[in-house]
């Protein structure tokens, strides 16, 4: 990463102490308190590159993942996210109530407000909004892919949206889940594919995709649940939330 990026960033003021996961060496790394795209043009790029939350150990050159409370504010894309390390999987309704009680002062009018538990989810929020997608629908796609991998014996930690691919020809792509509304339909292979990195518990990363019909099915689920429109409050929409929504559909 270009050192200039850091020097131009007025918010990269902090440093954090890191212990190398490989050799236990202790070193310091840059800490960004606020990724504000209005005053820091490279904020999205830095968030996208993900290097900053994988500092390199000066002793053994291996990378260690770090996480700390910070914010991402993107007025142009209409999203503000707060990172609270380890908040994933908490009771969403209760957590949302608490979040809004003490984070209301961090809110911006007319923007979507999210709470995320790690930097992958923060970078994902930026990518989702850059593609002008509904982030709840993107979350609902994940169990479709992760469930398939688990049934093939993979142990999955989580998955995060990376971007959209437009197929060049009407051909089935590898590692892609296709939904169809009318049985075997080759037309599904021409649809745009939503790409994710699926993270296994052993540290491996498996790229995986899912087609646009699946996204539209998820949008319909949201409409049925009255969740298609954002209410402006802080929400934690993570994998656990998505699994709960899918489970609630099976019960009803
Ligand atoms: Zn090391």
């Amino acid at each position: 990463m270009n050192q200039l990026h850091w020097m131009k960033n007025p918010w990269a003021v902090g440093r954090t102490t890191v212990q190398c996961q490989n050799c236990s060496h202790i070193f310091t790394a840059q800490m960004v308190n606020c990724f504000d795209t209005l005053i820091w043009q490279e904020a999205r790029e830095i968030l996208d590159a993900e290097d900053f939350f994988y500092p390199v150990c000066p002793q053994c050159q291996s990378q260690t993942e770090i996480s700390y409370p910070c914010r991402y504010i993107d007025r142009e894309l209409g999203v503000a996210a707060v990172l609270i390390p380890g908040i994933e999987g908490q009771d969403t309704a209760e957590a949302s109530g608490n979040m809004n009680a003490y984070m209301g002062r961090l809110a911006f009018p007319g923007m979507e407000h999210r709470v995320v538990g790690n930097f992958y989810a923060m970078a994902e929020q930026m990518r989702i909004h850059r593609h002008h997608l509904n982030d709840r629908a993107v979350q609902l796609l994940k169990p479709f892919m992760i469930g398939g991998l688990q049934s093939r014996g993979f142990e999955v930690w989580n998955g995060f949206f990376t971007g959209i691919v437009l197929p060049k020809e009407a051909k089935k792509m590898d590692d892609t889940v296709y939904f169809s509304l009318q049985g075997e339909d080759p037309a599904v292979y021409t649809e745009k594919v939503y790409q994710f990195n699926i993270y296994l518990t052993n540290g491996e990363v498996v790229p995986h995709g899912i087609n646009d019909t699946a996204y539209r099915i998820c949008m319909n689920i949201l409409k049925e649940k009255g969740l298609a429109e954002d209410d402006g409050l802080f929400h934690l929409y993570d994998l656990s939330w998505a699994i709960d929504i899918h489970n609630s559909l099976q019960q009803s």
Side-chain angles (χ1 to χ4, degrees), residues 71 73-81 100 103-114 230-234:
R71 300 165 75 192
I73 303 165
D74 199 324
R75 292 163 183 84
E76 192 188 349
L77 296 182
V79 60
N100 286 295
M103 291 201 302
R105 66 196 167 82
L106 300 176
F108 296 88
M111 286 172 66
E112 294 189 358
H113 294 88
R114 297 291 178 259
D230 189 72
D231 60 8
L233 298 175
F234 278 98

Side-chain angles (χ1 to χ4, degrees), residues 19-25 27 56-62 64:
Q19 181 164 29
C20 175
Q21 282 162 355
N22 182 46
C23 74
S24 300
H25 178 65
F27 60 101
V56 175
C57 170
Q59 188 157 287
C60 75
Q61 312 304 320
S62 62
T64 293

Side-chain angles (χ1 to χ4, degrees), residues 35-170:
F35 294 83
D36 188 335
T37 58
L38 188 70
I39 48 178
W40 185 23
Q41 284 189 345
E42 292 88 354
R44 275 184 216 157
E45 195 187 319
I46 302 275
L47 210 47
D48 208 23
E50 297 186 350
D51 290 355
F52 73 94
F53 65 90
Y54 274 111
V56 175
C57 170
Q59 188 157 287
C60 75
Q61 312 304 320
S62 62
Q63 289 184 300
T64 293
E65 185 186 339
I66 56 169
S67 187
Y68 48 81
C70 63
R71 300 165 75 192
Y72 163 50
I73 303 165
D74 199 324
R75 292 163 183 84
E76 192 188 349
L77 296 182
V79 60
V82 175
L83 193 162
I84 302 173
I87 200 167
E88 312 97 320
Q90 290 196 13
D91 181 282
T92 347
E94 192 188 328
S96 300
N98 293 338
M99 285 186 283
N100 286 295
Y102 77 90
M103 291 201 302
R105 66 196 167 82
L106 300 176
F108 296 88
M111 286 172 66
E112 294 189 358
H113 294 88
R114 297 291 178 259
V115 177
V116 296
N118 53 59
F119 276 115
Y120 298 101
M122 188 178 252
E124 177 183 60
Q125 278 297 326
M126 181 269 295
R127 294 184 190 121
I128 288 172
H129 285 86
R130 203 164 55 187
H131 286 278
H132 307 292
L133 300 173
N134 182 304
D135 69 325
R136 285 138 291 175
V138 172
Q139 297 301 328
L140 288 177
L141 289 171
K142 295 177 183 178
F144 291 142
M145 289 171 287
I146 290 173
L149 284 166
Q150 283 171 332
S151 67
R152 284 158 55 196
F154 290 98
E155 285 187 42
V156 179
W157 165 62
N158 215 325
F160 298 98
F161 175 73
T162 55
I164 288 178
V165 168
L166 295 166
K168 292 189 187 74
E169 48 183 334

